[in-house]
Coordinates of all heavy atoms in Angstrom, one line a residue:
S1 N -6.0 -116.6 -97.7 CA -4.9 -115.7 -97.8 C -5.2 -114.6 -98.8 O -4.9 -113.4 -98.6 CB -3.6 -116.4 -98.1 OG -3.2 -117.3 -97.1
Y2 N -5.8 -115.0 -99.9 CA -6.1 -114.1 -101.0 C -7.1 -113.0 -100.5 O -6.9 -111.8 -100.7 CB -6.7 -114.8 -102.2 CG -7.3 -113.9 -103.3 CD1 -6.4 -113.2 -104.1 CD2 -8.6 -113.8 -103.4 CE1 -7.0 -112.4 -105.1 CE2 -9.2 -113.0 -104.4 CZ -8.3 -112.3 -105.2 OH -8.9 -111.4 -106.2
L3 N -8.2 -113.5 -99.9 CA -9.2 -112.6 -99.4 C -8.7 -111.7 -98.2 O -9.0 -110.5 -98.2 CB -10.5 -113.4 -98.9 CG -11.7 -112.5 -98.5 CD1 -12.0 -111.5 -99.5 CD2 -12.9 -113.4 -98.2
S4 N -7.9 -112.3 -97.4 CA -7.3 -111.5 -96.3 C -6.4 -110.4 -96.8 O -6.5 -109.3 -96.3 CB -6.4 -112.5 -95.4 OG -7.2 -113.5 -94.8
D5 N -5.6 -110.7 -97.8 CA -4.7 -109.6 -98.4 C -5.6 -108.6 -99.0 O -5.2 -107.4 -99.0 CB -3.8 -110.3 -99.4 CG -2.7 -111.1 -98.8 OD1 -2.5 -111.0 -97.5 OD2 -2.1 -112.0 -99.5
L6 N -6.6 -109.0 -99.7 CA -7.5 -108.0 -100.3 C -8.1 -107.0 -99.3 O -8.1 -105.8 -99.5 CB -8.6 -108.8 -101.1 CG -9.4 -108.0 -102.2 CD1 -8.5 -107.6 -103.3 CD2 -10.5 -109.0 -102.7
I7 N -8.6 -107.6 -98.2 CA -9.2 -106.8 -97.2 C -8.2 -105.9 -96.5 O -8.4 -104.7 -96.2 CB -9.9 -107.7 -96.1 CG1 -11.1 -108.4 -96.8 CG2 -10.4 -106.9 -94.9 CD1 -11.7 -109.5 -95.9
R8 N -7.0 -106.5 -96.3 CA -5.9 -105.7 -95.6 C -5.5 -104.5 -96.5 O -5.3 -103.4 -95.9 CB -4.7 -106.6 -95.4 CG -3.7 -106.1 -94.4 CD -2.6 -107.1 -94.1 NE -3.2 -108.2 -93.4 CZ -3.3 -109.5 -93.9 NH1 -2.9 -109.7 -95.2 NH2 -3.8 -110.4 -93.2
R9 N -5.4 -104.7 -97.8 CA -5.0 -103.6 -98.6 C -6.1 -102.5 -98.7 O -5.8 -101.3 -98.7 CB -4.7 -104.1 -100.0 CG -3.4 -104.9 -100.2 CD -3.0 -105.0 -101.6 NE -4.0 -105.7 -102.4 CZ -4.1 -107.0 -102.6 NH1 -3.2 -107.8 -102.0 NH2 -5.0 -107.5 -103.4
H10 N -7.4 -103.0 -98.7 CA -8.5 -102.0 -98.7 C -8.5 -101.2 -97.4 O -8.7 -100.0 -97.4 CB -9.8 -102.8 -98.8 CG -11.0 -102.0 -98.7 ND1 -11.4 -101.0 -99.7 CD2 -12.0 -101.9 -97.8 CE1 -12.5 -100.4 -99.3 NE2 -12.9 -100.9 -98.2
R11 N -8.3 -101.9 -96.3 CA -8.3 -101.1 -95.0 C -7.2 -100.1 -95.0 O -7.4 -99.0 -94.5 CB -8.1 -102.1 -93.8 CG -9.3 -103.0 -93.5 CD -9.0 -103.8 -92.3 NE -10.2 -104.7 -92.0 CZ -10.3 -105.4 -90.9 NH1 -9.3 -105.3 -90.0 NH2 -11.3 -106.2 -90.6
K12 N -6.0 -100.4 -95.5 CA -4.9 -99.5 -95.5 C -5.3 -98.3 -96.5 O -4.9 -97.2 -96.2 CB -3.7 -100.2 -96.0 CG -2.4 -99.3 -96.0 CD -1.2 -100.1 -96.4 CE 0.1 -99.2 -96.4 NZ 1.3 -100.0 -96.8
K13 N -5.9 -98.6 -97.6 CA -6.2 -97.6 -98.6 C -7.2 -96.6 -98.0 O -7.1 -95.4 -98.2 CB -6.8 -98.2 -99.8 CG -7.2 -97.3 -100.9 CD -7.8 -98.0 -102.1 CE -8.2 -97.0 -103.2 NZ -8.8 -97.7 -104.4
I14 N -8.2 -97.0 -97.3 CA -9.2 -96.1 -96.7 C -8.9 -95.6 -95.3 O -9.6 -94.9 -94.7 CB -10.6 -96.8 -96.7 CG1 -10.6 -98.0 -95.7 CG2 -11.0 -97.2 -98.1 CD1 -12.0 -98.6 -95.5
R15 N -7.7 -96.1 -94.8 CA -7.2 -95.7 -93.5 C -8.2 -96.0 -92.4 O -8.6 -95.2 -91.6 CB -6.9 -94.2 -93.5 CG -5.7 -93.8 -94.4 CD -5.4 -92.4 -94.3 NE -4.3 -92.0 -95.2 CZ -3.8 -90.8 -95.3 NH1 -4.3 -89.8 -94.6 NH2 -2.8 -90.5 -96.1
S16 N -8.6 -97.3 -92.5 CA -9.7 -97.8 -91.6 C -9.2 -97.7 -90.1 O -8.0 -98.1 -89.8 CB -10.1 -99.2 -91.9 OG -11.0 -99.7 -91.0
P17 N -10.0 -97.3 -89.2 CA -9.6 -97.3 -87.8 C -9.6 -98.7 -87.3 O -9.9 -99.7 -88.0 CB -10.7 -96.5 -87.1 CG -11.9 -96.6 -88.0 CD -11.4 -96.7 -89.4
W18 N -9.4 -98.9 -86.0 CA -9.3 -100.2 -85.4 C -10.7 -100.9 -85.5 O -11.7 -100.3 -85.4 CB -9.0 -100.1 -83.9 CG -9.0 -101.4 -83.1 CD1 -8.0 -102.2 -83.0 CD2 -10.1 -102.0 -82.4 NE1 -8.3 -103.3 -82.3 CE2 -9.6 -103.2 -81.9 CE3 -11.4 -101.6 -82.2 CZ2 -10.5 -104.0 -81.2 CZ3 -12.3 -102.4 -81.5 CH2 -11.8 -103.6 -81.0
R19 N -10.6 -102.2 -85.8 CA -11.8 -103.0 -85.9 C -11.8 -104.2 -84.9 O -10.7 -104.6 -84.6 CB -12.0 -103.5 -87.3 CG -12.2 -102.4 -88.4 CD -12.6 -103.0 -89.7 NE -12.7 -102.0 -90.8 CZ -13.1 -102.3 -92.0 NH1 -13.6 -103.5 -92.2 NH2 -13.1 -101.3 -92.9
R20 N -12.9 -104.7 -84.6 CA -13.0 -105.8 -83.7 C -12.3 -107.1 -84.2 O -11.6 -107.8 -83.5 CB -14.5 -106.2 -83.4 CG -14.7 -107.3 -82.4 CD -14.3 -106.9 -81.0 NE -14.5 -107.9 -80.0 CZ -15.7 -108.0 -79.4 NH1 -16.7 -107.1 -79.6 NH2 -15.9 -108.9 -78.5
L21 N -12.4 -107.3 -85.5 CA -11.7 -108.5 -86.2 C -10.6 -108.0 -87.1 O -10.8 -106.9 -87.8 CB -12.7 -109.3 -87.0 CG -13.9 -109.9 -86.3 CD1 -14.8 -110.7 -87.2 CD2 -13.5 -110.7 -85.1
N22 N -9.5 -108.7 -87.1 CA -8.5 -108.3 -88.1 C -8.8 -108.8 -89.5 O -9.9 -109.5 -89.6 CB -7.1 -108.9 -87.6 CG -7.1 -110.4 -87.5 OD1 -7.7 -111.1 -88.3 ND2 -6.4 -110.9 -86.6
A23 N -8.0 -108.5 -90.5 CA -8.3 -108.8 -91.9 C -8.5 -110.3 -92.1 O -9.4 -110.8 -92.8 CB -7.3 -108.3 -92.8
G24 N -7.7 -111.2 -91.4 CA -7.8 -112.6 -91.6 C -9.1 -113.1 -91.0 O -9.7 -114.0 -91.5
Q25 N -9.5 -112.6 -89.8 CA -10.7 -113.1 -89.2 C -11.9 -112.6 -90.0 O -12.9 -113.4 -90.1 CB -10.8 -112.5 -87.7 CG -9.7 -113.1 -86.8 CD -9.7 -112.3 -85.5 OE1 -9.9 -111.1 -85.4 NE2 -9.4 -113.1 -84.4
Q26 N -11.9 -111.4 -90.5 CA -13.0 -110.9 -91.4 C -13.1 -111.8 -92.6 O -14.2 -112.2 -93.0 CB -12.8 -109.5 -91.8 CG -13.9 -109.0 -92.7 CD -13.7 -107.6 -93.2 OE1 -12.8 -106.9 -92.7 NE2 -14.5 -107.1 -94.1
A27 N -12.0 -112.2 -93.2 CA -12.0 -113.0 -94.4 C -12.6 -114.4 -94.1 O -13.4 -114.9 -94.8 CB -10.6 -113.2 -94.9
L28 N -12.2 -114.9 -92.9 CA -12.8 -116.2 -92.5 C -14.3 -116.2 -92.3 O -15.0 -117.1 -92.7 CB -12.1 -116.7 -91.3 CG -12.4 -118.2 -90.8 CD1 -12.2 -119.2 -91.9 CD2 -11.6 -118.5 -89.5
L29 N -14.7 -115.1 -91.6 CA -16.2 -114.9 -91.4 C -16.9 -114.9 -92.7 O -18.0 -115.5 -92.9 CB -16.4 -113.6 -90.6 CG -17.8 -113.2 -90.2 CD1 -17.8 -112.4 -89.0 CD2 -18.5 -112.4 -91.4
V30 N -16.4 -114.2 -93.7 CA -17.0 -114.1 -95.0 C -17.1 -115.4 -95.7 O -18.1 -115.8 -96.2 CB -16.3 -113.0 -95.9 CG1 -16.9 -113.0 -97.3 CG2 -16.4 -111.6 -95.3
L31 N -16.0 -116.1 -95.7 CA -16.0 -117.5 -96.3 C -16.9 -118.4 -95.7 O -17.6 -119.2 -96.4 CB -14.5 -118.0 -96.3 CG -13.5 -117.2 -97.1 CD1 -12.1 -117.8 -96.9 CD2 -13.9 -117.3 -98.6
V32 N -17.0 -118.4 -94.4 CA -18.0 -119.3 -93.7 C -19.4 -119.0 -94.1 O -20.2 -119.9 -94.4 CB -17.8 -119.1 -92.1 CG1 -19.0 -119.8 -91.4 CG2 -16.5 -119.7 -91.6
H33 N -19.7 -117.7 -94.2 CA -21.1 -117.3 -94.6 C -21.4 -117.7 -96.0 O -22.5 -118.3 -96.3 CB -21.3 -115.8 -94.4 CG -22.6 -115.3 -94.8 ND1 -23.8 -115.6 -94.2 CD2 -23.0 -114.5 -95.9 CE1 -24.8 -115.1 -94.8 NE2 -24.4 -114.4 -95.8
L34 N -20.4 -117.5 -96.9 CA -20.7 -117.8 -98.3 C -20.6 -119.3 -98.6 O -21.5 -119.8 -99.4 CB -19.6 -117.1 -99.2 CG -19.6 -115.6 -99.2 CD1 -18.6 -115.0 -100.1 CD2 -21.0 -115.0 -99.5
R35 N -19.7 -120.0 -98.0 CA -19.5 -121.4 -98.3 C -20.6 -122.3 -97.6 O -21.1 -123.2 -98.2 CB -18.1 -121.9 -97.9 CG -17.8 -123.3 -98.3 CD -17.5 -123.4 -99.8 NE -16.9 -124.6 -100.2 CZ -16.5 -124.9 -101.4 NH1 -16.6 -124.0 -102.4 NH2 -15.9 -126.1 -101.7
K36 N -20.9 -122.0 -96.4 CA -21.8 -122.8 -95.6 C -23.2 -122.3 -95.4 O -24.1 -122.9 -94.9 CB -21.2 -123.1 -94.2 CG -19.8 -123.7 -94.3 CD -19.2 -124.0 -92.9 CE -19.9 -125.2 -92.2 NZ -19.2 -125.5 -91.0
D37 N -23.4 -121.0 -95.9 CA -24.7 -120.4 -95.8 C -25.2 -120.3 -94.3 O -26.4 -120.4 -94.1 CB -25.7 -121.1 -96.7 CG -27.0 -120.3 -96.9 OD1 -26.9 -119.0 -96.7 OD2 -28.1 -120.8 -97.2
E38 N -24.3 -120.1 -93.4 CA -24.7 -119.9 -92.1 C -25.4 -118.5 -91.9 O -24.9 -117.6 -92.6 CB -23.6 -120.1 -91.1 CG -23.1 -121.5 -91.0 CD -22.1 -121.7 -89.8 OE1 -21.8 -120.7 -89.1 OE2 -21.6 -122.8 -89.6
T39 N -26.4 -118.4 -91.1 CA -27.1 -117.1 -91.0 C -26.2 -116.1 -90.4 O -25.2 -116.4 -89.7 CB -28.3 -117.3 -90.2 OG1 -28.0 -117.6 -88.8 CG2 -29.3 -118.4 -90.7
L40 N -26.6 -114.8 -90.5 CA -25.8 -113.7 -89.9 C -25.8 -113.8 -88.4 O -24.7 -113.5 -87.8 CB -26.4 -112.4 -90.3 CG -26.3 -112.0 -91.8 CD1 -27.1 -110.7 -92.0 CD2 -24.9 -111.8 -92.2
T41 N -26.8 -114.3 -87.8 CA -26.9 -114.5 -86.4 C -25.8 -115.5 -85.9 O -25.1 -115.3 -84.9 CB -28.3 -114.9 -85.9 OG1 -29.2 -113.9 -86.3 CG2 -28.3 -115.1 -84.4
E42 N -25.7 -116.6 -86.7 CA -24.8 -117.7 -86.4 C -23.3 -117.2 -86.5 O -22.5 -117.5 -85.6 CB -25.1 -118.9 -87.2 CG -26.4 -119.6 -86.9 CD -26.8 -120.6 -87.9 OE1 -26.3 -120.6 -89.1 OE2 -27.6 -121.5 -87.6
V43 N -23.0 -116.6 -87.7 CA -21.6 -116.2 -87.9 C -21.2 -115.1 -86.9 O -20.1 -115.0 -86.5 CB -21.3 -115.8 -89.3 CG1 -21.5 -117.0 -90.2 CG2 -22.2 -114.7 -89.8
A44 N -22.2 -114.2 -86.7 CA -21.9 -113.1 -85.7 C -21.6 -113.6 -84.3 O -20.6 -113.2 -83.7 CB -23.0 -112.1 -85.7

């Protein structure tokens, strides 16, 4: 939730256009990569 809120506020600040993943999904992708060290190919 913390990382999702951080990303959501950042997107609003920079007026980010539509993205494939919402803020919560992006946060989960980041946490999976950092916590489990899955490769970019795997998380993508």
Side-chain angles (χ1 to χ4, degrees):
S1 297
Y2 171 74
L3 183 53
S4 300
D5 291 342
L6 200 61
I7 293 171
R8 193 174 295 111
R9 292 196 300 270
H10 175 69
R11 289 186 180 186
K12 184 177 180 180
K13 180 181 179 180
I14 65 174
R15 298 183 179 179
S16 175
W18 177 88
R19 298 191 187 187
R20 183 67 176 272
L21 300 184
N22 61 36
Q25 292 169 327
Q26 180 182 349
L28 185 58
L29 181 152
V30 173
L31 292 176
V32 168
H33 179 65
L34 298 181
R35 188 70 169 187
K36 302 182 74 174
D37 194 23
E38 292 191 359
T39 64
L40 291 175
T41 302
E42 291 170 337
V43 293

